[in-house]
Amino acid sequence: MTTRTNTKQSTSNGARQNPFAPLIVDVAVPLGSYYLFKDGFGMSTFAALAWSSVVPAVRTVWGVVKERRTNALAGLILVVNVVSLLLSFVSGDPRLMLAKDSGISSTVAIGILVSVALGKPMMTAGMKPFLLKGDAAREAAWERLVSGRAAASAAFRRKERVFSVVWGVVLLAECAGRVVGAYTIPVDTMVWLGTVIMIGSIAIAMVVGGGLAVDPMEKMVAAEVEAAKKASARHEVAVAA
């Protein structure tokens, strides 16, 4: 009875978690706080980058010390901010400053693609909670799929890599577009157009990544959950017989 109660409580608590929490904390908060400090409070680029580095720094240290694992997204954002802080010492050309901003996208994109090559797709951290929805059965199905113990494991891991590749490629394209724009479009126009390009790129990555990877993976997880239920039912019948 106690085990069932704990399982239900765990599932209930997981269900209440925001599935987008990892992406919000690791990416949206640092990026949003940077623009808030810079444009909202009028801070210098250096100061805005420094203060927006607090969350990823805390997340990275917390993961290493408390959870004994590294948080890839938080760590990458921290590295990007540190690099940007160093680049902020370069001053003078406003077009160079605009082009510098695209370094965030390129660094994240390269990090994502490298993680795929290493067999640990970085964007999985943001996509996994969305697929599992805090459900214990889906969590178990996910583990079977990624560990190779399910029939659809190979296809599942392939789609997992595709999702990160889509984000990496789109962010690299976004970086290239902003660099070209920084040196060919009037500065006043590029200041707001750069944000439009960034938001549009994220939307494209979500739509393409969702269609090519997230939707098929969600179906595989659901199918694996059903397969586990049927296997459990057959086992109970065999035991009863």
Side-chain angles (χ1 to χ4, degrees), residues 66-88:
K66 183 68 176 180
E67 302 175 8
R68 299 188 183 281
R69 64 182 177 83
T70 57
N71 186 304
L73 276 175
L76 182 59
I77 296 299
L78 179 60
V79 170
V80 169
N81 282 0
V82 170
V83 172
S84 296
L85 281 170
L86 296 176
L87 290 176
S88 293

Side-chain angles (χ1 to χ4, degrees), residues 63-215:
V64 173
V65 176
K66 183 68 176 180
E67 302 175 8
R68 299 188 183 281
R69 64 182 177 83
T70 57
N71 186 304
L73 276 175
L76 182 59
I77 296 299
L78 179 60
V79 170
V80 169
N81 282 0
V82 170
V83 172
S84 296
L85 281 170
L86 296 176
L87 290 176
S88 293
F89 285 110
V90 180
S91 61
D93 186 359
R95 292 189 180 277
L96 178 60
M97 296 301 292
L98 286 174
K100 177 186 68 64
D101 290 340
S102 66
I104 294 178
S105 298
S106 63
T107 306
V108 172
I110 292 171
I112 291 172
L113 294 176
V114 169
S115 73
V116 174
L118 295 176
K120 298 179 179 179
M122 185 180 298
M123 294 305 295
T124 298
M127 177 249 295
K128 181 179 177 180
F130 175 77
L131 288 181
L132 300 187
K133 299 178 175 66
D135 185 83
R138 297 175 73 89
E139 175 84 35
W142 174 285
E143 294 302 326
R144 289 193 296 273
L145 285 164
V146 298
S147 66
R149 292 183 285 118
S153 288
F156 189 83
R157 293 303 303 272
R158 186 163 56 249
K159 293 298 183 181
E160 183 184 10
R161 293 191 295 270
V162 166
F163 183 71
S164 284
V165 168
V166 167
W167 275 89
V169 170
V170 169
L171 289 177
L172 274 181
E174 184 247 345
C175 169
R178 292 178 70 179
V179 169
V180 171
Y183 286 97
T184 59
I185 296 175
V187 173
D188 290 342
T189 301
M190 195 58 200
V191 168
W192 62 264
L193 184 58
T195 302
V196 173
I197 292 175
M198 179 187 68
I199 295 174
S201 298
I202 292 175
I204 291 173
M206 291 178 65
V207 172
V208 176
L212 293 180
V214 178
D215 289 345

